[in-house]
Amino acid sequence: RAALRAGPRRSGPGMGERSAARREDTARRLARFAALRGAAARPGELWDVVVLTAADAAQAGAFREQLAEKLRREQLPRAVRYLVCADPPGPRIGNGGSTLHALRCLEEQYGDQWTSFTVLLIHSGGNSQRLPSASALGKIFTALPLGEPVYQMLELKLAMYIDFPRRMKPGVLVTCSDDIELYSTGVTETITFDKPGFTALAHPSDLAVGTTHGVFVLDPSSFSGKGGLEYGSCYRFLHKPDVETMQQSGAVCVRGDCPQLSSPGNCGDSAMASECVYTDSVFYMDHSTAQQLLGFYKQMGTLGCEIDAYGDFLQALGPGATPDYTKNTSNVSREDSGLVAVRQQLYSLLQGTALNVIVLNNSQFYHIGTTQEYLFHFTAESKLRFELGLQPVAFSIFPDSAKTLDQLSIIQSILEPGCVIGPGSVIEYSRIGPEVSVGKGSIVSGSYINFSVNLPSGCFLSSVSVKMTDRVEYVTMVFGVGDNLKKGVKLMSDIHFLQFFGVSLPECLDLWSLEASDQLFSSEDTHLGLWTARIFPVCSTLSESVRMSLNMLNSVQHKSAFKLSGFQLLSVEEMLTYKDVEDMLKFRKQIYGEICLQKEKSDYRMNGT
């Protein structure tokens, strides 16, 4: 039997009445969705089309393959059209550009028919550099420790919005693939999207959350802050404002029951009077507004810059909107020439359009787009874990002694007796052998470890199948969960600012017998970082690639040499270019099949006795 270590188990979290109400409403939505998996919904009951955006044609292919597999296994409702829409080649266009391009895809695919559709548009493109275990197959296919077979973010989105299509006029609901909105409303309260223009959901948040989100300046005469749900109108929308701007513009409310939401550790619903703002999540636009934006996109021909669906559409709305924001590029990740001009055109187009707000007074917005958020929400006694009913072990084969443990997240994996998993760790789509010990707060994804090894605490390990010639090979990326894969430097002389598992990159290169040169990095545009560093060996088997990458890590930890100079090496960026989706899904299917077989056997034994 395995000794799976974890801290002492505490009784259920005292999450308060508001959290309990969210849990109850969430369970109802999940049950409704479960009944529709593999079934044909009644007309109008579900979305006419679910659109997933993808960063490029390769990612779109990966998405289509995974959708086809889900439909084959009857894990998604039938009679919904699923459309994958790749961004056009060329410069990145941001989620605003993806929204516009998706509208064009809808028209091309369905002609005039789409004018009568209710559409769910999920932004799913992007590299997922802050949670690279989701990079190869997409954030929208991130697995959750929930359901049999396990739910991925796609199913969760469909479940959480299951009440919306029936109360929605033709139009588009826009959401992102790495956030979760949980909410509770009164028995008689319903969320309806039937007004012209834009309608957004709003969540009470503390001011710190407001600085990284969109914030609504609500018309005070239109809402009271009471009840579970209120319809209000928005005077003005602020995008990632500082605290002073929120206060000066009248966005800050004082509410007796405003939840304290800022940090993962501060998760108790507070009964004290506190300042809060209402922040954004998903928004709806009616069909004629979508048509207007599509007309604008066709007229533009191509977008040469990244635009933001929240910052650049919503800031133009409401009677208090001014064009000042169009010139403010301080919040922009990459400022392209032409951005200001495009913003000004969008402002002219949308100015005067209404921004209706549905205030969900008992709601919570969760983000799981980074390794830290992912580990916290899946393994700690978090509100999200309580409200969604996340399991320590979901659809996995594991030794009996693991059943009592609560600070783990084992998702569609096979763990052999004898292995040791430290508390606060997530294992997904992996096989873990009997002589494996995984430290605390680690992530293991898509890997096969069949040799004796101790993974250190805070280790991130994720394997990718690649195809560069005719045969499938394997590469495993290994990092510290806190390593910054987005960070880049422009000059070779600055690469000492890059840290791999707490050690400067030049120091690591010395241990691995690698030279710091232009050939070390795969990026064409002088972006030198962990994402583009060619440091991961290509191997002929999955377990061998895991072994080699762990040898690299071991050499850094113990300051002992491990020669990489004889291997073909890839960067994470290149792994994604050469990824073989089919082989990665084949590995998952094998695990899936074994788990199903084991479950059938144990059901048979239980029923036969």
Side-chain angles (χ1 to χ4, degrees):
R1 287 194 170 186
L4 279 92
R5 287 193 298 263
R9 184 173 182 174
R10 294 190 290 279
S11 58
M15 293 295 181
E17 279 174 41
R18 297 163 66 86
S19 203
R22 292 196 290 267
R23 179 183 166 107
E24 204 174 306
D25 278 12
T26 297
R28 178 187 60 76
R29 291 180 193 111
L30 286 167
R32 265 198 67 203
F33 175 74
L36 287 170
R37 285 178 105 176
R42 291 190 295 274
E45 188 176 11
L46 280 171
W47 306 96
D48 294 308
V49 190
V50 173
V51 180
L52 305 183
T53 66
D56 53 34
Q59 193 176 53
F63 288 3
R64 289 187 190 105
E65 213 163 311
Q66 290 174 91
L67 282 169
E69 181 66 17
K70 282 180 181 294
L71 289 163
R72 261 201 306 278
R73 286 193 188 154
E74 302 202 325
Q75 291 172 4
L76 293 173
R78 291 203 310 272
V80 173
R81 302 165 182 90
Y82 297 94
L83 179 67
V84 179
C85 182
D87 285 353
R92 285 167 58 166
I93 54 176
N95 59 16
S98 291
T99 302
L100 299 175
H101 189 68
L103 298 178
R104 172 175 262 181
C105 291
L106 281 162
E107 188 181 64
E108 284 170 358
Q109 188 76 21
Y110 305 111
D112 287 344
Q113 201 187 354
W114 87 281
T115 59
S116 63
F117 284 170
T118 56
V119 178
L120 175 61
L121 169 58
I122 309 175
H123 286 297
S124 325
N127 287 328
S128 188
Q129 287 174 300
R130 295 183 300 165
L131 184 62
S133 46
S135 296
L137 296 175
K139 281 190 281 201
I140 192 63
F141 297 100
T142 300
L144 298 155
L146 178 74
E148 286 211 1
V150 292
Y151 280 37
Q152 292 177 327
M153 282 298 288
L154 175 59
E155 287 92 322
L156 186 65
K157 288 274 166 191
L158 295 174
M160 292 304 97
Y161 306 153
I162 199 155
D163 301 326
F164 294 172
R166 289 175 302 165
R167 304 196 184 96
M168 181 184 283
K169 285 193 168 168
V172 182
L173 187 79
V174 178
T175 185
C176 295
S177 56
D178 58 5
D179 57 52
I180 299 167
E181 301 84 23
L182 301 184
Y183 60 93
S184 173
T185 57
V187 183
T188 56
E189 296 174 321
T190 57
I191 293 176
T192 307
F193 299 95
D194 59 356
K195 295 187 170 68
F198 287 78
T199 303
L201 299 185
H203 312 274
S205 303
D206 73 9
L207 274 55
V209 172
T211 61
T212 58
H213 280 256
V215 171
F216 301 101
V217 181
L218 296 167
D219 178 347
S221 64
S222 72
F223 94 115
S224 65
K226 303 273 191 299
L229 178 151
E230 283 187 277
Y231 288 85
S233 59
C234 183
Y235 174 71
R236 187 180 164 205
F237 179 83
L238 310 169
H239 189 54
K240 299 183 180 176
D242 56 36
V243 172
E244 198 183 344
T245 306
M246 290 186 243
Q247 285 165 335
Q248 285 172 352
S249 58
V252 179
C253 317
V254 177
R255 292 180 53 221
D257 56 350
C258 182
Q260 298 274 24
L261 303 177
S262 67
S263 65
N266 187 11
C267 272
D269 285 286
S270 165
M272 300 181 304
S274 56
E275 289 188 320
C276 75
V277 287
Y278 285 94
T279 54
D280 63 348
S281 63
V282 307
F283 68 83
Y284 158 86
M285 49 184 162
D286 73 322
H287 184 74
S288 66
T289 305
Q291 198 78 49
Q292 226 182 331
L293 283 167
L294 175 58
F296 165 80
Y297 183 58
K298 286 177 173 171
Q299 191 189 327
M300 289 288 295
T302 53
L303 278 177
C305 58
E306 278 189 56
I307 56 174
D308 187 274
Y310 295 83
D312 295 332
F313 296 170
L314 303 188
Q315 278 189 109
L317 311 175
T322 68
D324 299 352
Y325 74 89
T326 59
K327 294 190 176 72
N328 174 12
T329 53
S330 60
N331 276 327
V332 176
S333 57
R334 217 173 70 185
E335 191 182 335
D336 304 280
S337 60
L339 175 64
V340 172
V342 171
R343 280 180 167 180
Q344 286 170 340
Q345 287 168 280
L346 278 167
Y347 176 77
S348 305
L349 177 81
L350 295 171
Q351 194 190 359
T353 305
L355 176 52
N356 309 291
V357 178
I358 301 174
V359 177
L360 295 171
N361 284 311
N362 183 11
S363 65
Q364 181 71 288
F365 174 96
Y366 298 100
H367 188 260
I368 56 161
T370 70
T371 50
Q372 273 89 351
E373 289 168 335
Y374 175 82
L375 285 169
F376 171 74
H377 288 309
F378 283 12
T379 68
E381 287 193 19
S382 68
K383 267 193 194 174
L384 177 68
R385 200 174 189 201
F386 170 72
E387 290 168 14
L388 257 185
L390 300 181
Q391 303 297 310
V393 178
F395 196 65
S396 294
I397 297 174
F398 59 98
D400 290 346
S401 54
K403 284 180 182 168
T404 57
L405 302 174
D406 207 27
Q407 290 178 302
L408 296 172
S409 188
I410 313 291
I411 308 166
Q412 196 169 316
S413 293
I414 297 173
L415 276 65
E416 292 188 35
C419 69
V420 179
I421 310 292
S425 289
V426 178
I427 313 286
E428 61 154 18
Y429 300 119
S430 293
R431 285 175 184 271
I432 308 290
E435 295 174 46
V436 178
S437 160
V438 177
K440 293 189 293 194
S442 292
I443 296 171
V444 177
S445 174
S447 297
Y448 179 28
I449 317 180
N450 61 348
F451 48 91
S452 174
V453 69
N454 292 330
L455 267 74
S457 293
C459 175
F460 174 89
L461 184 83
S462 179
S463 303
V464 178
S465 308
V466 293
K467 211 172 190 176
M468 290 174 289
T469 53
D470 291 343
R471 71 173 196 278
V472 179
E473 294 175 290
Y474 302 89
V475 196
T476 297
M477 61 180 101
V478 66
F479 294 105
V481 290
D483 287 353
N484 184 351
L485 272 61
K486 277 191 129 165
K487 183 174 179 166
V489 295
K490 286 197 162 63
L491 302 171
M492 198 62 71
S493 54
D494 287 339
I495 65 167
H496 60 276
F497 290 119
L498 303 171
Q499 298 248 314
F500 175 92
F501 225 92
V503 177
S504 79
L505 187 59
E507 221 179 307
C508 299
L509 297 175
D510 279 350
L511 292 165
W512 300 329
S513 308
L514 294 179
E515 211 177 301
S517 68
D518 290 345
Q519 279 68 53
L520 183 72
F521 295 93
S522 58
S523 185
E524 293 162 18
D525 61 353
T526 66
H527 180 90
L528 315 175
L530 293 182
W531 188 258
T532 58
R534 291 185 169 123
I535 53 175
F536 299 110
V538 179
C539 298
S540 57
T541 67
L542 180 54
S543 67
E544 193 57 19
S545 85
V546 174
R547 188 197 293 267
M548 288 307 129
S549 292
L550 288 175
N551 283 345
M552 282 172 63
L553 177 57
N554 186 54
S555 95
V556 168
Q557 281 201 293
H558 296 100
K559 304 284 186 285
S560 58
F562 176 66
K563 222 173 181 167
L564 279 179
S565 44
F567 289 95
Q568 178 178 8
L569 303 172
L570 293 185
S571 66
V572 181
E573 181 180 61
E574 288 173 320
M575 288 184 206
L576 301 186
T577 305
Y578 298 121
K579 65 176 182 269
D580 186 327
V581 174
E582 211 170 309
D583 191 71
M584 292 177 77
L585 294 180
K586 191 170 103 184
F587 179 64
R588 290 186 177 189
K589 271 185 220 170
Q590 286 168 350
I591 292 176
Y592 176 87
E594 267 183 63
I595 295 168
C596 288
L597 205 62
Q598 183 96 344
K599 285 189 178 295
E600 276 170 33
K601 277 185 194 164
S602 68
D603 288 350
Y604 176 76
R605 278 200 302 271
M606 284 173 77
N607 296 333
T609 51

